[in-house]
Amino acid sequence: MSKIPVIIDVDTGIDDAMALVLALQADKLDIRGITTVAGNQTIEKTTRNTLDVVEYFGRSEIPVAMGAKQPLIRPQVIAAYAHGESGLGTAVLPKAEKMPDELDAVSFIKKVLEESEEQITLVPTGPLTNIAILLKAYPHIKNKIKEIVLMGGGAFGGNYNAAAEFNIYADPEAAQIVFNSGVKLVMCGLDVTLKATVTPEDIDTIRAIGNKAGDFIAEAVEFYMAMYKRNPNFTGCAIHDAVTITYLIAPELIKTRQGIARVDIDGRDSYAATICDFRPWRDREKDNALVCVDIDREAFVKLLVEACKNY
Ligand code: BDR
Ligand code: CA
């Protein structure tokens, strides 16, 4: 079976790191590059974390290109409350020797797309700043993009506030450009990612693997889990970003709904909300998104555990 060519765009981040752990060992993926964006932490930190994760897990041949350091328009927000000062909780990785690619993220993605004979899937798991700049600056490149499988948004509400999910809230104008671009979207938003949870018992299983991946994940998730434990309905923590990779390597675990997805940048209380239209009588010509709505949690955890064992 031929591999799926992808470029992953991350703001690493604890759950971004877990998405990478899943992706870097996946036989089904041909990772043509990884690009970084500011989001969970500053661009310096998300890039450092990405380089460190990629090298630690033995894939330093994959180029890492540094991207946007701030949102297009709105003031920057970061998520140290969820990912800590470093962006990886209390986990500390050896400092990677490899430096970022000489190209910036947007130029890097453009070059890889232009040089590719086949279409490539973009997988953003942070704010959509790099992707929006790419699509605006080089619209001709759209026909080289197979689809954009993104973590962001939520048809039924937010996490940063009642309406908005963090990645969209961090750069809503960029998200609007991407959602209106005409490129096919697969939206792994909160509807599915809040169901993609790992429990403290799952983390015990991962730690018990006793290798570098198990140790790293168990350490990094501890900080993240602590935030989730403040939720009175706590059952586990959501590994949002890993759902994008799961969609690509094990799509049978995920349920989707076809619809029209847009980003509101004009509302007051709904600023940065993703509005999803599933009405049966909508104008289906305007459908632009497969919205992921459910996941087989047990199988998802198993996928993560098996991925860790491969290191
Ligand atoms: C998203 O926000 C970030 O904090 C996570 O890495 C994930 O991409 C979830 O809302
Ligand atoms: Ca992220």
Side-chain angles (χ1 to χ4, degrees):
M1 206 191 75
S2 63
K3 296 186 180 216
I4 306 167
V6 294
I7 298 173
I8 308 175
D9 184 65
V10 288
D11 63 331
T12 316
I14 293 166
D15 57 328
D16 303 78
M18 289 177 72
L20 289 175
V21 168
L22 194 54
L24 293 171
Q25 58 80 53
D27 288 339
K28 287 192 182 166
L29 299 183
D30 170 12
I31 305 174
R32 303 280 177 93
I34 300 175
T35 53
T36 63
V37 65
N40 286 323
Q41 263 297 352
T42 61
I43 190 64
E44 289 76 20
K45 291 182 183 177
T46 62
T47 305
R48 162 63 34 221
N49 293 341
T50 306
L51 286 163
D52 291 351
V53 167
V54 170
E55 193 159 305
Y56 187 64
F57 290 107
R59 296 297 308 273
S60 54
E61 83 282 5
I62 300 174
V64 173
M66 179 153 90
K69 71 168 196 237
Q70 58 190 27
L72 295 185
I73 293 173
R74 58 148 295 123
Q76 185 163 31
V77 289
I78 57 166
Y81 54 86
H83 301 269
E85 277 313 311
S86 76
L88 291 179
T90 53
V92 180
L93 292 176
K95 192 168 173 300
E97 281 176 17
K98 194 153 169 205
M99 300 295 284
D101 196 86
E102 57 186 26
L103 294 178
D104 65 90
V106 172
S107 310
F108 175 86
I109 302 173
K110 171 181 177 269
K111 178 167 181 281
V112 174
L113 289 173
E114 278 177 348
E115 289 176 354
S116 175
E117 305 215 322
E118 348 142 56
Q119 287 186 314
I120 295 183
T121 296
L122 304 185
V123 191
T125 65
L128 290 162
T129 321
N130 291 335
I131 313 299
I133 296 171
L134 175 85
L135 296 174
K136 271 288 178 200
Y138 310 110
H140 70 277
I141 216 77
K142 286 181 197 170
N143 62 11
K144 286 295 189 82
I145 303 172
K146 176 157 185 276
E147 57 187 3
I148 299 177
V149 179
L150 66 97
M151 191 285 133
F156 299 106
N159 58 357
Y160 192 82
N161 60 33
E165 180 280 328
F166 177 80
N167 286 341
I168 306 295
Y169 188 82
D171 197 343
E173 288 74 21
Q176 191 190 54
I177 290 168
V178 173
F179 277 58
N180 289 351
S181 67
V183 178
K184 183 187 160 201
L185 304 178
V186 177
M187 180 176 132
C188 304
L190 298 173
D191 317 292
V192 64
T193 67
L194 288 175
K195 297 172 185 161
T197 54
V198 297
T199 64
E201 295 72 37
D202 296 328
I203 294 303
D204 289 343
T205 307
I206 288 176
R207 186 184 291 106
I209 297 168
N211 69 1
K212 65 199 295 189
D215 291 351
F216 167 68
I217 285 184
E219 178 68 36
V221 166
E222 201 158 315
F223 185 92
Y224 188 70
M225 186 84 85
M227 178 190 72
Y228 277 83
K229 281 186 177 159
R230 297 202 287 272
N231 174 351
N233 301 327
F234 171 82
T235 52
C237 63
I239 313 300
H240 305 278
D241 293 339
V243 175
T244 57
I245 305 299
T246 304
Y247 174 82
L248 290 168
I249 65 175
E252 67 283 0
L253 304 189
I254 293 177
K255 282 206 185 90
T256 59
R257 281 180 84 177
Q258 184 80 44
I260 305 168
R262 299 275 176 242
V263 179
D264 181 11
I265 58 165
D266 300 311
R268 187 179 52 185
D269 294 334
S270 58
Y271 176 60
T274 47
I275 313 296
C276 297
D277 188 353
F278 301 122
R279 292 170 305 159
W281 54 89
R282 69 186 182 275
D283 179 357
R284 285 170 191 251
E285 296 268 299
K286 295 191 177 142
D287 279 3
N288 65 334
L290 259 191
V291 179
C292 300
V293 292
D294 203 2
I295 188 164
D296 178 340
R297 191 199 83 84
E298 305 269 312
F300 169 71
V301 172
K302 199 159 167 236
L303 200 68
L304 288 176
V305 170
E306 293 307 313
C308 288
K309 286 184 186 164
N310 283 337
Y311 286 97

